[in-house]
């Protein structure tokens, strides 16, 4: 008797299929330059070749594919807006957004690796670093020879990073760093950490800490149900001697890490949309093929409602991202505008993932489709880089002029 179960080989083959094309209901492609389209086609091909065939297995096994770091470097996914003199891509913010969108279409954890390296490690070194620091670190980070991480969050200070207790003291020819960071993407494999800590006067500064400095360890966080293909860990500093030349001289205060977050949150607004479009496209295809009651389920009004609402939200988010990208290119985008886009796009992506899961029925919970993985990943994305509610309060502050935090 024939079995309905796929053989291992058939299952593997089905995982390797990636027929993704993106929805473009309002012809936004006509607003893109040839360079944007080239960036998109090369990163889309890369994701189809280097991520889609393997991501389910990596996620199922909670495996961070370290070899992807060099591959991302080769394709220019690290620091796309950093000038080429320092190894960056010299591209604009729309290109950066497109890169994050396409990578997260593959997997949010893969996008985390790229956006932390670009926006949270290379950006502060470029923006606040000395020329010597830029030359030493940026080319190696851009090429993927080194992996970086960004240490802001602490066990007792997540949404409120200004309360951090990690500190450094002046010890003559070096600083001595003590404290701990947690929930740090890339930390277990990072060569370099940009760490935010207070000096003896309580002023926040950025320090570049390198793997191998005595007293610096990076324990891995296990047991995540989300971002399983991304390595997350702690940063522990036990009397770490940090050379004075490793302090970022260009900016101090909480505003410095928050500026980096503006850049990374912008990338997330695009990235989450990538995950949403993947869920929508998968649901649309599945609904056309799946027969119930003698008809494709796509013919039922309730399924059409789900698909129509998904496309509506995707189209609104595409318009939002494109406009925000042009403001970023002009240097005019505000923190509140970035918060609105990050908050909206992650929320709609989560809702679209949940609705797409419904359309896939039982199949939606399996690794044969990307839906459940996207949904679980997005539960981290809605929390990191400022939670959904923190972004609402940033907007509330902008609207009213009154801070809910102080
Ligand atoms: P507040 O009083 O509002 O501001 C403190 C100082 O910073 C200035 N400032 C900014 N400067 C530049 N750019 C910005 N975007 C800025 N926002 C604020 C501000 O003017 C002030 O300057 P000064 O001179 O007056 O001191 O700060 P607050 O303590 O009230 O906190 C505000 C709040 C809650 C919005 C902020 O702390 C916040 O955004 N919290 C959320 C924390 C967060 O997002 N953490 C993310 C950690 S990194 C991460 O999650 C990476 S995940 C990566 C991945 O895997 O993809
Ligand atoms: P909390 O701040 O304790 O918040 C808990 C709840 O309380 C939330 O719902 C929040 O919205 C709510 N809340 C808090 N304050 C208020 C308020 N004033 N008003 C209303 N509600 C409030 N951090 C880094 O520095 N670097 C990284 O690379 C990094 N990577 C991460 C990767 C993953 C997978 C995850 C999950 C997190 C990562 N983070 C990283 C940390 C992330 O930024 C924090 O988790 C996030 O900022 C929230 O902090 P918290 O988890 O301590 O939650």
């Amino acid at each position: 008797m024939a079995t309905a179960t796929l053989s291992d080989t058939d299952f593997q083959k089905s995982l390797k299929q990636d027929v993704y094309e993106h929805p473009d209901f309002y012809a936004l492609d006509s607003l893109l330059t040839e360079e944007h389209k080239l960036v998109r086609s090369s990163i889309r091909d890369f994701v189809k070749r280097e991520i889609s065939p393997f991501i389910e297995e990596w996620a199922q096994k909670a495996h961070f594919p370290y070899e992807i770091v060099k591959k991302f470097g080769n394709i220019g996914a690290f620091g796309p807006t950093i000038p080429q003199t320092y190894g960056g891509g010299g591209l604009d913010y729309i290109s950066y957004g497109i890169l994050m969108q396409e990578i997260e279409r593959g997997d949010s954890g893969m996008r985390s690796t790229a956006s932390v390296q670009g926006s949270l490690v290379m950006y502060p070194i470029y923006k606040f670093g000395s020329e010597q620091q830029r030359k030493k670190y940026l080319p190696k980070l851009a090429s993927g020879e080194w992996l970086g991480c960004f240490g802001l969050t602490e066990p007792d200070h997540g949404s409120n990073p200004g309360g951090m207790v990690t500190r450094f003291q002046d010890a003559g020819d070096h600083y001595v760093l003590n404290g701990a960071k947690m929930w740090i993407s890339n930390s277990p494999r990072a060569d370099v950490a940009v760490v935010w800590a207070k000096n003896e006067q309580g002023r926040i500064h950025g320090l570049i800490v390198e793997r191998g400095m005595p007293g610096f360890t990076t324990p891995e966080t296990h047991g995540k149900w989300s971002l399983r293909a991304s390595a997350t860990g702690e940063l522990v500093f036990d009397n770490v001697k940090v050379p004075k030349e490793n302090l970022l001289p260009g900016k101090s205060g909480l505003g410095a890490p928050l500026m980096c977050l503006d850049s990374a949150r912008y990338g997330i607004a695009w990235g989450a949309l990538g995950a949403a479009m993947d869920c929508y496209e998968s649901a649309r295809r599945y609904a056309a093929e799946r027969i119930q009651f003698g008809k494709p389920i796509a013919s039922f009004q309730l399924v059409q409602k789900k698909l129509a609402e998904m496309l509506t939200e995707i189209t609104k988010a595409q318009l939002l991202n494109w406009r925000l990208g042009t403001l970023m290119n002009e240097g005019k985008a505000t923190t509140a505008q970035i918060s609105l886009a990050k908050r909206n796009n992650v929320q709609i992506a989560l809702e679209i993932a949940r609705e797409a899961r419904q359309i896939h029925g039982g199949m939606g919970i399996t690794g044969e489709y990307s839906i459940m993985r996207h949904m679980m990943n997005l539960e981290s994305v809605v929390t990191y880089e400022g939670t959904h509610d923190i972004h609402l309060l940033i907007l509330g502050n902008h609207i009213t002029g009154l801070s809910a935090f102080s």
Side-chain angles (χ1 to χ4, degrees), residues 56 278-279 282 366-375:
E56 266 324 309
D278 195 49
C279 291
S282 182
T366 71
E368 194 160 333
Y369 296 91
S370 51
I371 313 299
M372 194 78 177
R373 179 170 44 79
H374 280 312
M375 193 198 299

Side-chain angles (χ1 to χ4, degrees), residues 27-47:
L28 279 166
D29 270 11
S30 62
L31 297 174
L32 301 180
T33 63
E34 286 311 309
E35 182 173 71
H36 297 147
K37 288 180 191 165
L38 190 63
V39 166
R40 188 177 61 197
S41 65
S42 56
I43 190 69
R44 189 170 291 176
D45 289 349
F46 175 88
V47 169

Side-chain angles (χ1 to χ4, degrees), residues 200-247:
E200 285 135 310
Q201 291 73 46
R203 184 87 182 153
I204 294 171
H205 287 265
L207 297 163
I208 305 171
V209 180
E210 292 181 26
R211 184 170 295 283
M213 287 181 174
F216 174 42
T217 49
T218 59
E220 184 158 3
T221 302
H222 294 288
K224 290 178 299 167
W225 284 112
S226 177
L227 290 191
R228 288 172 61 79
S230 158
T232 313
E234 297 168 47
L235 302 174
V236 181
F237 313 105
D238 181 9
N239 285 316
V240 181
K241 280 186 181 180
V242 181
K244 284 202 159 165
E245 68 259 24
N246 282 29
L247 183 125

